[in-house]
Amino acid sequence: MKMIRNRLAVQLQRHVLQMSMSTNAAAAAAPAEGAAISEFRTAVTNPGEHSALQVAKFYTIPAEQKKQIFAGGGLPKQYEQQIKTFTEACLMVRNPALEVLEYIKKADLSKPVVRYLLYGENGTGKTLTMAHVLHYGALNDFLLVHVPWAPNWMKRPKEASNAAGQEGMIDLPFDAAAWLVHFKGQNSKLLQRLELKTSKEYVWSKRESTPAGSTLLELVEHGIARIKYASETTAALISELKLLSTAGKCKVMVAIDGYNAFFHPVTRIFSDNKQRVTPDKITLTHPFLNITRYDWTNGVCILSVDKIAMTEGHMDSYMPRYLLGTEGFEHLDPFVPIHVENYSDKEFHSYISYYLDRHWINKTPQGFEEQLKFMSNKNPYALMQLVRAL
Amino acid sequence: MAVRVFGVNLIKTNRNLLQNACKTPATTFGHTAVAQLATEVTVQASPAAVQKQKVSKAMRAYLKRANEHDEFMKTQHLEFQIGKRHLANMMGADAETFTQEDINEAISYLFPSGLYDPKARPAMKSPEEVFPARKAAEFDETGRPFHSMFYTGKPNFFQLLHDIVEETRKLADLEERMLRRGNKPDENQKLEMSGFQLLPKDQLELVLVESIADIEYSNFTNSMDRLIASPYAYKSKAFIERFLKPLLDQSKQLEVPKPKIDEQGRQFITTYECLRKTARADVTIRLPGTGKISINGKDISYFEDENCREQLLFPLQFSEMLGKVDVEANVEGGGPSGQAGAIRWGIAMSLRSFVDQEMIESMRLAGLLTRDYRRRERKKFGQEGARRKYTWKKR
Amino acid sequence: MSFLTRIVGKSTSFSGIRLMSVYPQHYVEPIVQKDKQIEQKDELTKLHHIPIKAALNKSSDTVFHDDTKEKLLNYITKKGNSALARTLLSKAFELIKRTQTERLNLAKGDKDKVITNAEVLLKQAVENCRPLLQVTAIKRGGVTYQVPVPITTKRSYFLAMKWLLEAAREKERKVSLPEKLAWEILDAAHGQGRVVKRKDDLHRQCEANRAYAHYRWS
């Protein structure tokens, strides 16, 4: 464990050095790459090309890509509303996202999977950082395994039923089916192109089975059609993806928001005896715990832990060790922690200019920016709330 | 015979009247003049013929009482002096130069008291301050009052009103005469009323040694206002000033402390005991700063409520010191709103040292520098809450 | 007689004083906004010697504060829950802004005419709903007449905001207050909607009852 961690640390350090050298070279070579339309926007829409030049600038996600990637979730509700009002999906390029993207670009995919863990206070931008990275993954032929908000399964399942195959486990049929639809929507083109096949036969019941060698698309569609077996289909799909990526046939990007929900002591789901169930009694948790292990290659894992992802109770700290608990920490150890912070002054000013440009802030007496800075403490969510009324 | 006696009596009594009238001039009121109105009884040595005349029992009793009071005051004075000497002796100080302040110090040292009200604590004061002023004999031994308005019951007060009217008439005449000549009142000498207030009712009562009803006080106020409003009021300045009480300049009342210097060489001011409801805070402001704020070690996210944060922003933004100072606050007790109010007051009071006089006055007018002493009102019996009554039922 | 009335009896006969206020009677209300202080500069010299009450918790001179907003907040507040009122009002403003921004984006011609400033729209709405007269019931000879009577400015603003809120609270339960309030304010700002109609009805009634106007003095 420690050796791997040291090796990772050394690799990362080397990559960071390379990154800094490359950006200098890039800056010298292509000064017109940023081509800023105004001081807070940038025309570069490919996250793969974002560099330190574009920090604190907004880039637009084209509408079709946004629909493809985020149709099943992934952007916060209020952000969706903002997109609708401003008629464009703009994301700010920030340092945590750039860091993750650099690590992914420079990573050696033949080595075991690296897990990146985003953590931070409420409302600092973890979900949107993940969205940025997802966009990159979608454009760069990664198969996306994306759980928009894990606690939704623990807190508000559409329906919970006893699992057919395993004793004492609980199934979430509708949620699993919904996730499969989301997976299909995100990855349909890639799946069709790559033509990935299952390695073994899956028997669902006496009369139903999926033979070996069928495409993953068929597996997914089976899961959507037969909701009863959706959870098992998910498990099967995930294990297939692991095998296929280790074999080198595809790259997989795993993105799970609110990962600490899988390690919380309780959920809001009741078993038959009217008792609360722990997350490991739910069939859906296991595939995603499985895929976040480091026993496969050719992929990358981005996870986030959040105070509000817990099911019940109040969390005192936003630190990963506290939120994941012993079990979760041991499962995820080693990982790369990435701290997402409040805005810097430059980012704050950029966001205010964006709001002014979109006619969202209308009351602008002298010094209103400093007042907003003071009141919101440069927290993105707080800023959004405060600006509602201006 | 009887008539001649009476005639002599009349003359004598008239003489007495005149003498007494001279002795108690009706036009000098004021704090020092209280004594004049409450002088000792001056019973002139009267000729035997007058003495033989029968004095009624009531009169006699009254005169006796007045005499007793005088004697009493004399003995009190004596005791005071003796007591003062003893005290000086005890304290080892010189009896001759023992002032009232020394007496107060000595008493508070020898008889320490934990009582809250200063008036309840032991004190030794001159008899004039302790015993209320009484009026002197208002009529002589024959029963004839000295003051012409004695039978109004409040001669001093009504004499005052008459004087005011007299002055007003004089000023009106003066104004007419000036108008006929074509002169105008001198603008430079105009009376400044902004820093003064008319004597309140209780103080006027002290001055006049009489109790006044509310309506009468309002008559006094109205007539004084009329007098002051006259354009030539400055001519009667001496008369008016007797009844004016100076108001203190509010913003200059509280002393603005000087900033100290801390280890890093920054100026700072700490305001302790910032209270609001049940919250207690102390606030430190450092200049020069970058606009950082820390409350009990946390930054402004200590307050989740938007209103509470706005309260902290208010004094900084009002005095335009938003990004220029650092604020550190320690607060305990109360709820979020009370704590925010306490810190707001603390910030405003501390900022006074870094801001000019005009801005301090501006802050005072905005209500930032006043201590908000409002507390939760208690519930009363017979009612559901502090103000809410039980539902009224007809039957 | 309760002990309260006994205390009242003991106080001076001057009327118009707030009984049992923590502040002594000569304290004066603060002038919180800097602009207002500059406007009333000449009268301020009189206040140099008079002590001033403390500023309230809700008032401030920041960019988040506005007089009309403060009044409206007071009317929305129930059982002292002003934090909730503030949230509701800011949500209402958000909805107003969203609708107006959409309109702005869709407007092909004159983009300047579409106002997205929610506060300005609120003020316009309140101005459009302000009645100039009101009717009072006056009884003469056994008959109660509805007599048109002039109205103070403060009361007219109060009535405008109260009607806006009443109209907003009247709608179906599923629709939340911020939404309803946003629609009402937008309608009123453009001179349409239920509240403006209510004001016009009142004016019409006053006009119809012109004949009884002299009953005010009778």
Side-chain angles (χ1 to χ4, degrees):
Chain A
M1 191 80 96
K2 272 192 185 168
M3 276 171 55
I4 299 172
R5 214 188 300 167
N6 286 339
R7 222 188 309 151
L8 274 174
V10 165
Q11 271 185 336
L12 287 168
Q13 276 181 341
R14 239 182 278 147
H15 293 157
V16 167
L17 274 170
Q18 282 180 3
M19 171 181 98
S20 54
M21 284 185 349
S22 64
T23 45
N24 285 338
E33 189 206 17
I37 297 170
S38 40
E39 49 178 51
F40 56 88
R41 280 192 203 266
T42 171
V44 181
T45 51
N46 188 353
E49 291 163 32
H50 284 155
S51 67
L53 276 177
Q54 278 95 24
V55 165
K57 296 211 171 131
F58 286 88
Y59 82 99
T60 334
I61 303 179
E64 327 83 52
Q65 289 176 19
K66 183 222 165 228
K67 202 170 167 188
Q68 176 206 335
I69 308 172
F70 300 113
L75 292 173
K77 246 194 289 180
Q78 298 214 330
Y79 208 79
E80 292 271 0
Q81 277 188 329
Q82 192 178 289
I83 288 172
K84 189 178 160 221
T85 312
F86 297 166
T87 63
E88 59 179 4
C90 265
L91 269 190
M92 190 192 258
V93 176
R94 292 182 74 196
N95 275 320
L98 279 180
E99 208 182 317
V100 176
L101 285 175
E102 283 303 324
Y103 293 159
I104 296 175
K105 279 190 243 174
K106 308 287 194 242
D108 187 356
L109 289 176
S110 59
K111 299 272 183 341
V113 182
V114 186
R115 282 93 49 103
Y116 303 98
L117 190 65
L118 300 169
Y119 70 100
E121 272 287 357
N122 285 344
T124 43
K126 299 182 283 294
T127 310
L128 285 180
T129 312
M130 204 181 272
H132 193 169
V133 175
L134 267 177
H135 187 206
Y136 167 78
L139 290 180
N140 285 285
D141 295 340
F142 274 87
L143 265 179
L144 303 174
V145 175
H146 171 52
V147 179
W149 185 241
N152 266 338
W153 293 343
M154 306 297 144
K155 284 198 212 181
R156 307 176 194 107
K158 284 259 168 55
E159 192 201 316
S161 60
N162 283 322
Q166 300 121 9
E167 275 297 315
M169 303 281 274
I170 295 192
D171 235 355
L172 302 175
F174 287 104
D175 292 301
W179 184 79
L180 284 170
V181 171
H182 175 58
F183 177 80
K184 184 174 155 200
Q186 280 182 325
N187 300 304
S188 52
K189 291 188 196 152
L190 204 56
L191 284 173
Q192 276 171 346
R193 197 158 33 104
L194 291 176
E195 290 193 14
L196 304 160
K197 304 238 168 21
T198 56
S199 57
K200 63 173 193 182
E201 191 193 359
Y202 293 100
V203 182
W204 310 117
S205 68
K206 265 191 234 168
R207 277 171 250 155
E208 288 179 40
S209 69
T210 311
S214 50
T215 59
L216 285 182
L217 258 179
E218 285 173 15
L219 189 62
V220 168
E221 265 154 37
H222 166 83
I224 297 169
R226 302 284 290 123
I227 293 185
K228 187 173 165 191
Y229 301 114
S231 305
E232 291 173 17
T233 326
T234 331
L237 175 69
I238 300 258
S239 53
E240 285 298 323
L241 281 174
K242 274 178 87 168
L243 293 169
L244 286 168
S245 67
T246 317
K249 301 238 176 90
C250 61
K251 299 189 287 185
V252 176
M253 179 187 271
V254 179
I256 302 181
D257 206 354
Y259 192 64
N260 52 326
F262 291 142
F263 298 105
H264 205 263
V266 287
T267 60
R268 282 191 196 166
I269 306 171
F270 291 99
S271 62
D272 285 335
N273 346 358
K274 305 274 184 177
Q275 277 187 336
R276 285 182 193 259
V277 166
T278 54
D280 34 276
K281 288 274 191 279
I282 300 181
T283 47
L284 261 187
T285 37
H286 292 286
F288 296 103
L289 289 179
N290 192 7
I291 203 169
T292 44
R293 294 207 180 95
Y294 51 84
D295 51 2
W296 52 291
T297 63
N298 215 13
V300 76
C301 262
I302 300 120
L303 312 165
S304 88
V305 284
D306 208 334
K307 269 205 250 182
I308 48 183
M310 58 10 155
T311 326
E312 306 292 346
H314 173 74
M315 297 276 124
D316 289 316
S317 156
Y318 60 85
M319 291 297 180
R321 175 81 175 76
Y322 177 76
L323 289 170
L324 289 170
T326 352
E327 214 187 280
F329 193 74
E330 274 166 25
H331 177 88
L332 268 191
D333 199 23
F335 60 85
V336 179
I338 304 210
H339 185 43
V340 184
E341 285 173 337
N342 287 334
Y343 284 146
S344 64
D345 281 332
K346 188 176 170 201
E347 288 172 338
F348 189 84
H349 179 72
S350 168
Y351 220 110
I352 300 268
S353 323
Y354 178 59
Y355 275 143
L356 285 170
D357 174 62
R358 292 278 101 194
H359 300 284
W360 192 241
I361 300 182
N362 297 297
K363 191 174 176 188
T364 53
Q366 199 200 34
F368 77 99
E369 211 181 300
E370 280 92 47
Q371 294 183 35
L372 275 173
K373 217 186 262 190
F374 182 89
M375 287 278 283
S376 65
N377 198 24
K378 293 190 254 187
N379 181 286
Y381 187 68
L383 175 64
M384 193 162 65
Q385 301 277 61
L386 284 173
V387 159
R388 272 195 319 203
L390 281 187
Chain B
M1 193 74 136
V3 175
R4 233 184 294 142
V5 169
F6 264 110
V8 168
N9 283 345
L10 278 169
I11 294 165
K12 285 274 161 66
T13 49
N14 276 337
R15 214 186 296 149
N16 279 339
L17 235 184
L18 277 167
Q19 284 172 341
N20 278 325
C22 292
K23 277 205 175 125
T24 58
T27 49
T28 49
F29 300 135
H31 291 281
T32 50
V34 172
Q36 287 183 342
L37 283 172
T39 46
E40 296 182 11
V41 173
T42 47
V43 178
Q44 300 261 312
S46 34
V50 180
Q51 274 177 337
K52 270 187 193 159
Q53 197 184 25
K54 252 193 177 171
V55 188
S56 85
K57 270 192 190 167
M59 220 84 70
R60 227 184 307 159
Y62 169 78
L63 286 171
K64 186 177 161 200
R65 246 185 290 135
N67 268 332
E68 272 175 13
H69 178 72
D70 286 336
E71 295 297 322
F72 172 73
M73 286 301 277
K74 273 192 203 151
T75 44
Q76 288 296 315
H77 267 287
L78 212 60
E79 276 183 22
F80 178 70
Q81 292 302 323
I82 294 170
K84 195 166 109 174
R85 285 183 166 270
H86 275 303
L87 206 56
N89 213 9
M90 269 193 264
M91 297 302 284
D94 185 16
E96 304 297 328
T97 55
F98 209 57
T99 58
Q100 183 62 41
E101 276 138 25
D102 296 330
I103 296 177
N104 294 340
E105 263 183 62
I107 296 281
S108 59
Y109 170 70
L110 291 169
F111 303 98
S113 160
L115 294 175
Y116 177 78
D117 195 358
K119 292 183 195 164
R121 297 177 200 156
M124 191 168 113
K125 292 204 178 121
S126 160
E128 278 109 21
E129 291 170 44
V130 177
F131 299 104
R134 261 204 216 177
K135 269 203 194 160
E138 293 170 278
F139 43 82
D140 60 11
E141 66 277 13
T142 59
R144 190 158 176 200
F146 299 128
H147 203 295
S148 60
M149 293 189 202
F150 170 76
Y151 288 108
T152 60
K154 301 176 194 181
N156 292 336
F157 175 72
F158 287 103
Q159 183 65 54
L160 170 60
L161 285 185
H162 274 264
D163 290 334
I164 296 174
V165 169
E166 189 63 42
E167 293 285 326
T168 320
R169 267 199 324 107
K170 272 196 228 164
L171 292 181
D173 288 339
L174 176 64
E175 195 183 339
E176 237 194 82
R177 280 204 307 265
M178 292 302 211
L179 271 176
R180 265 192 230 131
R181 281 186 228 162
N183 291 345
K184 282 200 186 142
D186 194 357
E187 283 298 321
N188 299 334
Q189 290 189 35
K190 193 171 176 184
L191 267 188
E192 261 307 314
M193 280 303 295
S194 59
F196 295 93
Q197 200 190 35
L198 279 179
L199 273 186
K201 181 159 166 274
D202 41 349
Q203 290 193 18
L204 188 63
E205 281 181 355
L206 276 177
V207 169
L208 299 175
V209 199
E210 280 166 6
S211 63
I212 309 173
D214 287 338
I215 309 175
E216 291 166 352
Y217 179 71
S218 63
N219 285 341
F220 164 72
T221 327
N222 291 338
S223 18
M224 280 302 284
D225 286 337
R226 198 84 180 277
L227 176 62
I228 291 165
S230 144
Y232 286 91
Y234 57 88
K235 298 267 182 187
S236 311
K237 196 170 174 190
F239 175 73
I240 294 170
E241 276 188 347
R242 255 184 271 139
F243 301 101
L244 289 181
K245 177 181 145 188
L247 286 174
L248 304 159
D249 200 357
Q250 289 294 323
S251 63
K252 292 174 191 154
Q253 249 208 333
L254 298 165
E255 246 187 67
V256 176
K258 282 215 174 116
K260 305 175 200 166
I261 314 260
D262 67 1
E263 301 104 36
Q264 285 122 26
R266 302 203 286 176
Q267 292 180 312
F268 77 99
I269 276 277
T270 313
T271 310
Y272 296 100
E273 277 194 47
C274 311
L275 313 176
R276 172 87 228 272
K277 278 184 165 181
T278 329
R280 304 275 172 273
D282 44 85
V283 178
T284 314
I285 296 219
R286 288 176 207 274
L287 176 83
T290 47
K292 267 192 286 187
I293 180 160
S294 90
I295 302 159
N296 283 358
K298 276 194 191 177
D299 61 9
I300 202 172
S301 55
Y302 178 84
F303 288 121
E304 285 149 12
D305 206 15
E306 190 191 316
N307 200 18
C308 297
R309 294 191 194 179
E310 205 181 318
Q311 287 301 292
L312 300 194
L313 175 64
F314 180 24
L316 291 168
Q317 208 270 325
F318 193 88
S319 57
E320 290 152 22
M321 304 284 271
L322 188 46
K324 302 180 190 160
V325 292
D326 279 348
V327 178
E328 288 162 30
N330 290 317
V331 65
E332 58 182 14
S337 175
Q339 288 185 342
I343 301 177
R344 179 186 96 179
W345 186 80
I347 295 176
M349 291 301 266
S350 304
L351 280 175
R352 286 182 309 159
S353 320
F354 300 118
V355 154
D356 62 353
Q357 186 63 31
E358 215 183 289
M359 182 56 79
I360 296 177
E361 179 62 23
S362 212
M363 282 209 284
R364 185 190 77 90
L365 288 171
L368 279 169
L369 299 178
T370 321
R371 255 218 158 106
D372 197 341
Y373 190 65
R374 294 177 295 165
R375 297 274 180 271
R376 194 179 144 271
E377 203 174 310
R378 75 158 266 205
K379 176 201 176 309
K380 285 109 192 168
F381 55 85
Q383 293 179 1
E384 202 176 307
R387 302 275 172 115
R388 162 127 173 95
K389 321 283 184 288
Y390 290 126
T391 315
W392 179 76
K393 294 206 176 89
K394 201 164 179 178
R395 44 187 77 85
Chain C
M1 203 166 73
S2 75
F3 84 105
L4 294 169
T5 41
R6 257 178 262 148
I7 289 172
V8 167
K10 274 190 190 155
S11 73
T12 58
S13 58
F14 300 107
S15 61
I17 306 164
R18 184 175 154 79
L19 304 165
M20 299 202 289
S21 167
V22 180
Y23 297 109
Q25 284 159 14
H26 58 278
Y27 273 61
V28 161
E29 296 289 331
I31 307 169
V32 179
Q33 323 279 307
K34 249 199 178 150
D35 322 329
K36 290 205 181 126
Q37 279 193 8
I38 293 170
E39 271 175 29
Q40 300 174 17
K41 228 179 194 172
D42 309 315
E43 286 133 37
L44 290 184
T45 46
K46 290 185 199 161
L47 294 176
H48 275 309
H49 304 276
I50 306 179
I52 307 220
K53 298 186 192 176
L56 290 173
N57 234 6
K58 337 178 215 182
S59 51
S60 67
D61 191 26
T62 55
V63 71
F64 305 99
H65 185 266
D66 181 51
D67 278 339
T68 326
K69 240 176 145 184
E70 193 186 330
K71 281 279 169 201
L72 194 59
L73 272 174
N74 285 343
Y75 302 144
I76 300 177
T77 312
K78 275 190 183 175
K79 291 199 174 175
N81 199 347
S82 48
L84 180 61
R86 209 169 156 139
T87 325
L88 291 173
L89 192 62
S90 53
K91 279 192 191 154
F93 274 22
E94 187 192 355
L95 284 165
I96 294 176
K97 279 205 289 189
R98 282 198 205 280
T99 330
Q100 288 296 95
T101 329
E102 269 169 49
R103 282 189 199 160
L104 180 74
N105 290 334
L106 291 171
K108 290 156 199 169
D110 207 357
K111 291 222 170 180
D112 289 336
K113 277 195 185 157
V114 182
I115 306 174
T116 49
N117 191 340
E119 249 167 58
V120 165
L121 282 172
L122 174 66
K123 288 195 159 120
Q124 254 183 23
V126 167
E127 277 297 326
N128 288 347
C129 301
R130 266 180 68 202
L132 300 167
L133 296 170
Q134 65 178 355
V135 275
T136 343
I138 295 185
K139 211 168 178 186
R140 292 272 180 270
V143 185
T144 316
Y145 297 102
Q146 294 292 323
V147 176
V149 135
I151 197 174
T152 53
T153 333
K154 271 192 182 175
R155 184 161 165 81
S156 68
Y157 279 114
F158 163 70
L159 280 177
M161 287 193 252
K162 183 176 164 201
W163 290 343
L164 275 172
L165 279 176
E166 267 178 31
R169 284 177 178 143
E170 249 175 54
K171 305 211 176 119
E172 319 124 27
R173 283 225 131 190
K174 293 267 176 172
V175 186
S176 66
L177 181 75
E179 275 183 63
K180 300 181 237 171
L181 190 57
W183 297 339
E184 290 298 337
I185 292 175
L186 278 174
D187 277 340
H190 293 111
Q192 311 152 359
R194 304 160 62 167
V195 195
V196 178
K197 180 172 171 295
R198 186 167 173 177
K199 175 203 81 162
D200 287 335
D201 284 343
L202 181 62
H203 281 179
R204 238 172 279 136
Q205 201 187 7
C206 290
E207 190 60 37
N209 286 6
R210 257 176 78 175
Y212 305 135
H214 68 285
Y215 280 147
R216 226 176 114 206
W217 302 277
S218 198

